[in-house]
Amino acid sequence: KMVDPTLAEMGKNLNEAMKMLEDNQRKVEEENEKKYTRKDIPGPLQGSGQDMVSILQLVQNLMHGEEEEETSQSYRLQNVGEQGHMALLGHSLAAYISVLDRERLRKLTTRILSDTTLWLCRLFRYENGSAYYHEDDREGLLRICRLVIHTRYEDYPLEGFNVLYTKQPVIYISSAARAGLGQALCNQLGLPLSCMCRVPCNTMFGSQHQMDVALLDRLIKDDVEFGKLPLLLVANAGTPGAGHTDKLGRLKELCEQYKMWLHVEGVNLATLALGYVSSSVLAATKCDSMTLTLGSWLGLPAVPAVTLYRHEDPSLSLAAGLTSSQPVEKLRALPLWLSLQYLGHDGIVERIKHASQLSQRLLENLKNLDFIKTSVEDELSSPVVVFKFFQEYSKRDQTSHAAQASTIQHPIISNEGHIYDTFNQWLGEQLAQLVPASGVDVVELEDEGTCVRFSPLMTSAVLGTEIQDIDHLVDCLKMKIPVLTSTLQLREEFEQEVRRTVSLLYIEDLGWPGLGVVRYNYHSDEKNDDKQEKELEKINTELLKKLNELESDLTFSLGPEFGGQKNCVYIGMVTEDLDVSELVETIAATGREIEENSRLLENMTEVVRKGIQEAQLQLQKANEERLLEEGLLRQIPVVGSVLNWFSPFQASPKGRTFNLTAGSLESTESTYVSKAQGTGSTPPPTPTSSLAKQRLPGQKAFKRSLRSSDGFSETSSISHCDDLDKLDQRPPDLSPGQEQGALEVERAEEQKEAVQAKTDTEDIHSDQSPPDCTKAEDQASQR
């Protein structure tokens, strides 16, 4: 039974608050659909206080208000679990415990700190160790550096930087360590960057992600000869990128030789809690200090990181900030103290074991996949699995390259690394989107390039990754591999086809994950670059629109939002049944059609403008001739009416019609005489692409028909039967006279169709005033 009612109320309020924050099934108001609302703008503090529900609702809106869909952050909140609630409760309890009297607070904090340190040292096989709890995972290493400085420089508390100046300290860090770690240490310690030495990894023997021990030995000897003091070595038990472990045993021997401090960090330290531990990781138990990040390993939110260390002088630990005499600072361990008790020893080991089983399950499946290259340190137990898509050049379709072997080396070979980086970047993003519970991400390695990383110790406890998620990940990977291989193979063929096409320009973009980039090359005699650029943009934009209207499985786009080429058509991933020649020919024909239509419109506009001007001059001249024929008296208003009544003046209406097809002005006298519009020349056919490829029902564009020999013979037989049926359905043979009559009927039908297709004309009448004398009229064609 709960004795303290305050603790009971605290737990109740925490449960209610977490339920409200984790309720993602709320209805989104219309005002929250906007990106910027009044709630996002800071305002003054309200005079009257608000209740707990209103404040939590505000927090919920700030957390999820701008999210258009469920993201990984909201998904993590749903998987906090009871152990996460215990960690969050620890922060509330720490605030409550801090108001106790000093003696009771000292006893309670000492018990919490002692229990947590003892549990962690036994759990991770680190005997006789002390613990420092910190929020920033780099803070522990920083305090260790201060401890070592106080230990190696006895006069440092009195003389300060003068001691460091006479004998410069050196801190050694692997080149595979976290980015910016060395610079952050130097900035916090007040040391120049020359005190930081980056040790390269192996280049010839061993893992390319392990520190080169022989080279480190030479670097230390050189520093000693120059009067420097080797101070500390930072090693990795699981590098941030590939998850490899340094040779900790040999590094420990080297540190003992030069009286250096060995600090170890990395995700593989979590496996120390398992029954079976690899010898390389087990050597970390002999190091001088190690940093553990239990929050990500166990899925505990807001718990501190822990740095375990061994040192005999408590005064130096206090001077370095590893221990504190303030009881409130010792309460940092309270969330972790509660969570470890809730999980228990078996629960902690089970979570770490489950993460290791997930990585082994994925590694076993990857071994059976072609074109997948893995990079793991130990195939029997590797908590981190790094893999990438890789297709050796010798395994590709050598038939397509046989003809090129004697000519030139294809440029894609020299740029192979960049293309694989782009493809693996796309692969990692696709897998993370298809299987978000897997927690895979993309990592950049120095030697392997861009790879896909699966580190379940850092993600599985938070995301709730299960075995079926790994199986789903492998299934998605199997679906993407044929797409990658086909695109990589057809990419070269696409480049060759585009370069052979006159009107197309191939754009080299190694950062585009797809078939390639093409631009319709617009040729113009226009000297104005801005106008030519606008016309180029107009044609390629219309080309992209036309291609997207086709029924195909391809994706056409303008490319990436940032860093892409302008006025280009980007083609995405493709399958093996793509007909590259048809695709390129369709792009070229569509571009030519758009260009011809654009030029036809421009020419028609110019012709119409000149025709109107010419018509105005001719009609003005016709009006002057009409005045001379009618005489001056007929122009007087009253006299002219009387004269026209006694002696009417018969004049045929004169006008002009503009033939758009011929681009010339014609008289309308024949039209008024015959009461029908005359026939002109037949308009030219509209330019269209010559690609009228027959496709089967349901077959999409750009698909290459993959038929075997049997299928081809069967199709040929069917086609032959169809031809015989067509021969049987032909009309009987006609006599010479009947045949001549049929030809005349056919010619008459052709003339009728030509008359119906007559171009619209503009009829301009002379009875209008010269400025407004042009008028376009559409008349139906008549025989």
Side-chain angles (χ1 to χ4, degrees):
K1 182 178 180 181
M2 185 71 69
V3 178
D4 194 340
T6 306
L7 294 179
E9 185 69 19
M10 186 183 303
K12 179 181 178 182
N13 291 337
L14 178 65
N15 290 332
E16 293 179 355
M18 290 303 300
K19 288 180 180 179
M20 182 175 296
L21 293 178
E22 292 178 357
D23 184 14
N24 292 325
Q25 305 299 330
R26 68 194 186 282
K27 296 181 180 180
V28 181
E29 300 177 356
E30 295 182 358
E31 59 181 4
N32 290 336
E33 295 180 357
K34 300 180 181 179
K35 185 175 182 180
Y36 298 100
T37 61
R38 296 190 60 182
K39 294 181 180 180
D40 300 320
I41 303 175
L45 182 63
Q46 297 183 6
S48 59
Q50 301 184 30
D51 56 359
M52 180 67 68
V53 177
S54 301
I55 297 176
L56 291 178
Q57 185 66 37
L58 175 61
V59 175
Q60 183 185 15
N61 293 337
L62 293 176
M63 292 170 59
H64 306 286
E66 297 182 3
E67 296 180 1
E68 298 179 357
E69 57 184 2
E70 297 297 330
T71 59
S72 60
Q73 187 67 20
S74 61
Y75 187 77
R76 288 188 177 187
L77 287 176
Q78 293 180 354
N79 289 275
V80 167
E82 291 293 332
Q83 76 279 357
H85 289 182
M86 296 299 296
L88 298 178
L89 179 61
H91 291 274
S92 301
L93 284 176
Y96 174 68
I97 294 174
S98 64
V99 300
L100 298 177
D101 60 273
R102 188 173 183 84
E103 183 63 23
R104 186 177 300 180
L105 178 61
R106 185 186 62 81
K107 292 181 179 180
L108 182 57
T109 54
T110 302
R111 171 65 185 273
I112 294 173
L113 195 63
S114 301
D115 287 347
T116 310
T117 303
L118 177 63
W119 298 339
L120 292 178
C121 289
R122 290 183 176 179
L123 188 62
F124 294 98
R125 310 185 184 194
Y126 198 80
E127 298 178 357
N128 301 325
S130 302
Y132 171 65
Y133 303 90
H134 46 93
E135 301 298 333
D136 188 357
D137 54 359
R138 297 177 299 183
E139 185 68 22
L141 178 57
L142 175 63
R143 300 297 174 94
I144 291 295
C145 291
R146 290 177 178 173
L147 174 63
V148 179
I149 291 176
H150 280 83
T151 304
R152 300 298 301 274
Y153 295 92
E154 297 180 357
D155 298 333
Y156 179 75
L158 299 177
E159 300 184 11
F161 69 92
N162 291 326
V163 180
L164 304 179
Y165 179 75
T166 56
K167 201 167 188 180
Q168 180 178 341
V170 182
I171 301 175
Y172 301 91
I173 294 182
S174 172
S175 59
R178 289 179 291 172
L181 178 60
Q183 185 176 1
L185 291 177
C186 289
N187 293 338
Q188 295 295 325
L189 295 172
L191 299 177
L193 291 179
S194 58
C195 294
M196 192 61 55
C197 178
R198 293 181 62 86
V199 182
C201 295
N202 296 324
T203 56
M204 298 183 63
F205 303 101
S207 171
Q208 296 181 349
H209 303 279
Q210 291 179 345
M211 193 183 304
D212 192 337
V213 182
L215 182 57
L216 173 63
D217 190 9
R218 290 197 300 267
L219 291 174
I220 295 176
K221 291 180 180 179
D222 294 341
D223 290 335
V224 172
E225 293 178 357
F226 281 102
K228 297 181 180 181
L229 179 63
L231 193 67
L232 182 139
L233 172 63
V234 182
N236 291 301
T239 55
H244 290 203
T245 303
D246 292 326
K247 296 179 176 62
L248 300 180
R250 295 183 57 188
L251 293 178
K252 180 58 179 177
E253 296 175 359
L254 197 62
C255 289
E256 291 178 351
Q257 178 182 352
Y258 293 98
K259 298 181 180 180
M260 295 172 56
W261 185 284
L262 177 60
H263 178 82
V264 181
E265 60 181 17
V267 67
N268 292 351
L269 292 176
T271 59
L272 290 173
L274 301 179
Y276 169 77
V277 186
S278 62
S279 58
S280 60
V281 179
L282 188 60
T285 58
K286 304 299 181 182
C287 66
D288 298 302
S289 61
M290 65 170 64
T291 298
L292 311 175
T293 56
L294 298 172
S296 57
W297 299 349
L298 304 178
L300 303 176
V303 296
V306 185
T307 296
L308 302 179
Y309 64 97
R310 297 189 184 97
H311 200 265
E312 299 178 354
D313 193 346
S315 61
L316 294 182
S317 300
L318 180 62
L322 289 171
T323 58
S324 175
S325 59
Q326 298 295 328
V328 178
E329 294 189 7
K330 297 180 181 180
L331 289 175
R332 293 179 180 174
L334 181 57
L336 192 58
W337 183 72
L338 295 174
S339 300
L340 293 179
Q341 290 187 84
Y342 183 85
L343 291 174
H345 183 276
D346 296 338
I348 296 172
V349 174
E350 183 62 28
R351 284 177 177 265
I352 299 176
K353 183 179 179 181
H354 175 69
S356 300
Q357 291 175 350
L358 293 177
S359 61
Q360 287 302 116
R361 180 64 171 265
L362 178 61
L363 184 59
E364 292 175 359
N365 291 325
L366 293 179
K367 292 179 182 178
N368 301 325
L369 297 181
D370 296 331
F371 311 116
I372 294 297
K373 179 181 178 182
T374 59
S375 175
V376 294
E377 181 182 14
D378 186 5
E379 294 186 355
L380 297 179
S381 61
S382 179
V384 181
V385 179
V386 176
F387 62 94
K388 62 181 295 187
F389 167 75
F390 182 76
Q391 182 181 9
E392 295 182 4
Y393 187 76
S394 59
K395 293 183 179 180
R396 299 183 194 172
D397 188 7
Q398 300 180 359
T399 305
S400 60
H401 300 287
Q404 311 168 27
S406 59
T407 56
I408 58 174
Q409 184 181 10
H410 204 274
I412 194 174
I413 302 176
S414 59
N415 299 324
E416 196 171 6
H418 297 285
I419 296 177
Y420 277 120
D421 290 344
T422 302
F423 277 37
N424 283 285
Q425 177 79 24
W426 177 85
L427 177 61
E429 294 174 354
Q430 289 290 313
L431 293 179
Q433 182 179 2
L434 294 174
V435 194
S438 64
V440 295
D441 59 349
V442 180
V443 62
E444 296 284 345
L445 301 181
E446 184 176 358
D447 297 316
E448 287 85 352
T450 303
C451 299
V452 183
R453 178 179 58 186
F454 176 65
S455 182
L457 279 172
M458 301 298 294
T459 59
S460 62
V462 177
L463 299 178
T465 310
E466 299 294 340
I467 294 293
Q468 54 266 25
D469 297 324
I470 303 303
D471 296 338
H472 186 201
L473 179 68
V474 175
D475 293 338
C476 294
L477 183 59
K478 292 179 180 179
M479 294 172 55
K480 297 300 179 182
I481 289 177
V483 177
L484 291 169
T485 54
S486 302
T487 305
L488 184 63
Q489 178 180 350
L490 296 177
R491 188 178 176 116
E492 306 176 25
E493 182 181 352
F494 175 75
E495 179 180 352
Q496 298 172 11
E497 291 288 342
V498 172
R499 294 188 185 278
R500 284 197 293 261
T501 307
V502 179
S503 58
L504 298 181
L505 180 64
Y506 182 80
I507 305 298
E508 184 99 14
D509 192 348
L510 301 178
W512 173 248
L515 185 63
V517 186
V518 65
R519 174 188 296 162
Y520 184 79
N521 200 6
Y522 172 70
H523 298 284
S524 176
D525 298 333
E526 182 68 33
K527 297 182 179 181
N528 191 350
D529 296 337
D530 294 338
K531 185 177 180 181
Q532 188 173 359
E533 185 73 16
K534 292 181 180 180
E535 188 66 24
L536 180 65
E537 180 181 1
K538 178 182 177 182
I539 292 179
N540 283 277
T541 303
E542 185 67 21
L543 175 61
L544 177 63
K545 181 180 178 181
K546 294 283 187 182
L547 293 175
N548 283 324
E549 292 176 354
L550 299 176
E551 295 183 1
S552 66
D553 293 332
L554 302 182
T555 56
F556 304 94
S557 64
L558 294 175
E561 184 177 0
F562 302 102
Q565 297 287 337
K566 294 183 179 180
N567 305 328
C568 296
V569 176
Y570 285 75
I571 306 174
M573 292 289 179
V574 299
T575 54
E576 61 178 353
D577 57 350
L578 174 69
D579 194 338
V580 178
S581 59
E582 181 188 356
L583 172 62
V584 175
E585 188 177 353
T586 302
I587 295 175
T590 307
R592 285 193 298 267
E593 180 179 346
I594 296 173
E595 181 182 2
E596 291 175 1
N597 291 337
S598 177
R599 289 182 176 179
L600 179 62
L601 182 60
E602 292 180 359
N603 296 336
M604 185 179 298
T605 303
E606 184 66 19
V607 169
V608 170
R609 186 181 64 82
K610 292 182 179 180
I612 292 175
Q613 294 177 355
E614 183 179 355
Q616 289 178 348
L617 296 177
Q618 293 185 8
L619 291 178
Q620 184 178 1
K621 184 178 180 181
N623 287 336
E624 295 175 356
E625 294 177 355
R626 184 175 61 83
L627 292 176
L628 294 177
E629 292 180 3
E630 295 179 357
L632 184 59
L633 293 177
R634 294 183 182 271
Q635 308 305 319
I636 301 175
V638 180
V639 178
S641 299
V642 176
L643 187 59
N644 288 334
W645 184 72
F646 283 104
S647 176
F649 181 78
Q650 299 293 335
S652 60
K654 295 182 179 181
R656 296 293 184 272
T657 179
F658 186 72
N659 193 336
L660 294 178
T661 304
S664 60
L665 287 173
E666 300 176 358
S667 176
T668 59
E669 294 182 1
S670 59
T671 303
Y672 287 105
V673 171
S674 61
K675 305 299 182 180
Q677 208 168 10
T679 60
S681 58
T682 303
T686 304
T688 58
S689 62
S690 59
L691 294 175
K693 182 178 178 180
Q694 298 294 332
R695 292 194 295 268
L696 298 176
Q699 182 181 4
K700 296 185 178 181
F702 315 127
K703 292 293 184 181
R704 184 175 52 213
S705 57
L706 303 176
R707 297 174 178 173
S708 60
S709 58
D710 297 337
F712 180 78
S713 61
E714 181 181 355
T715 307
S716 302
S717 302
I718 295 175
S719 301
H720 182 65
C721 295
D722 293 343
D723 294 339
L724 292 178
D725 294 340
K726 293 180 181 179
L727 288 175
D728 295 338
Q729 295 176 1
R730 286 192 311 175
D733 296 337
L734 301 176
S735 61
Q738 294 175 338
E739 184 176 359
Q740 182 67 24
L743 290 175
E744 292 178 358
V745 172
E746 184 177 357
R747 291 174 182 175
E749 291 294 331
E750 292 179 356
Q751 293 179 1
K752 182 178 180 181
E753 292 177 0
V755 172
Q756 291 179 353
K758 181 68 179 73
T759 308
D760 296 340
T761 58
E762 297 183 1
D763 200 3
I764 306 171
H765 300 279
S766 59
D767 53 351
Q768 298 180 355
S769 58
D772 301 324
C773 62
T774 60
K775 179 179 180 182
E777 61 176 16
D778 299 331
Q779 298 181 355
S781 301
Q782 301 178 4
R783 288 295 302 266

